[in-house]
Amino acid sequence: MSELLFELPLRSAERTPHASAIIHKDDIVAYASLAQAIDRFSAAVTGPLGLGKLERIAIYLPKVTETVVTIFGAARAGCVFVPVNPLLKPAQVGHILRDCNVRALVTSAERAETLADELNSCTDLRHVIVTGQASVAPSGAHYAIHSWRDLDTASGNPKPHRVIDADMVAIFYTSGSTGRPKGVVLSHRNMVTGAHSVASYLGNMPDD
């Protein structure tokens, strides 16, 4: 049976809703709460933000809960997530955003400020979602800035674009050690197969 990437945490939420899905510092997120956050993000990007099927959503954040929600929420919406190494400099980030025509960027308010000059040349960018207090977009900017909190509390049911397991779900960029980073396209099938393979050889169990 074919599987889509976002179905993995959603099915876990159905089986064990109160089990811990994410532990980050002092915060513990149960699978039921994670599933709800994924659905809210999906509803926000396909509703108020109006992103189309397979449009790119970049993530320029460290390993925090919002990173996980964006990855699976983008997949749930029928969009494509693009993880950006949080250690990259603004010029390197700008190259990735332009190279794969990123439509929305999820980052922190502080990181958005450091990227301001680069974002001016990212002509496909329409939305910047910040995890802290949202500021006003620079005068003449071709993109809007949104607060994660505002989008996360927006009402509405997910109306995702229909995708199949052969559709693209992610673009991972190489380190660029021998030149500019290059994007590697992965489908739902690629990602799910990899997830099952890793879980198998690590011997992961539902209570891990």
Side-chain angles (χ1 to χ4, degrees):
M1 181 179 68
S2 65
E3 288 182 284
L4 301 175
L5 181 62
F6 63 87
E7 292 175 343
L8 299 180
L10 298 190
R11 286 175 179 167
S12 292
E14 292 176 354
R15 292 192 301 267
T16 55
H18 303 298
S20 299
I22 301 171
I23 300 175
H24 179 251
K25 297 183 179 180
D26 294 330
D27 295 329
I28 300 176
V29 180
Y31 272 103
S33 297
L34 176 60
Q36 292 166 3
I38 289 169
D39 278 346
R40 289 195 299 269
F41 186 87
S42 173
V45 299
T46 56
L49 302 192
L51 267 63
K53 180 179 178 179
L54 302 184
E55 289 196 316
R56 282 61 152 158
I57 301 174
I59 311 153
Y60 185 47
L61 287 171
K63 294 178 181 178
V64 293
T65 299
E66 291 89 347
T67 302
V68 179
V69 173
T70 302
I71 286 172
F72 289 107
R76 172 86 165 102
C79 296
V80 174
F81 66 89
V82 184
V84 179
N85 187 331
L87 300 180
L88 293 183
K89 302 300 183 184
Q92 297 169 301
V93 177
H95 163 70
I96 291 173
L97 301 185
R98 289 185 293 272
D99 187 64
C100 66
N101 312 105
V102 162
R103 187 69 74 184
L105 168 67
V106 179
T107 189
S108 67
E110 296 76 17
R111 287 171 183 262
E113 288 184 9
T114 68
L115 291 174
D117 290 340
E118 289 294 330
L119 298 184
N120 287 334
S121 61
C122 297
T123 56
D124 291 296
L125 185 68
R126 293 294 178 269
H127 306 283
V128 176
I129 304 163
V130 297
T131 55
Q133 182 65 39
S135 58
V136 177
S139 178
H142 56 274
Y143 57 87
I145 296 183
H146 312 271
S147 162
W148 174 277
R149 181 177 299 176
D150 290 343
L151 289 182
D152 190 48
T153 56
S155 60
N157 295 317
K159 296 180 181 178
H161 303 288
R162 184 180 180 277
V163 293
I164 60 174
D165 66 340
D167 282 330
M168 173 171 53
V169 72
I171 302 175
F172 282 70
Y173 274 79
T174 61
S175 62
S177 56
T178 58
R180 285 194 167 187
K182 298 176 179 61
V184 178
V185 173
L186 296 169
S187 67
H188 283 267
R189 187 184 303 159
N190 294 147
M191 296 289 291
V192 170
T193 299
H196 284 310
S197 175
V198 171
S200 176
Y201 75 68
L202 289 180
N204 283 354
M205 302 299 290
D207 57 349
D208 285 333

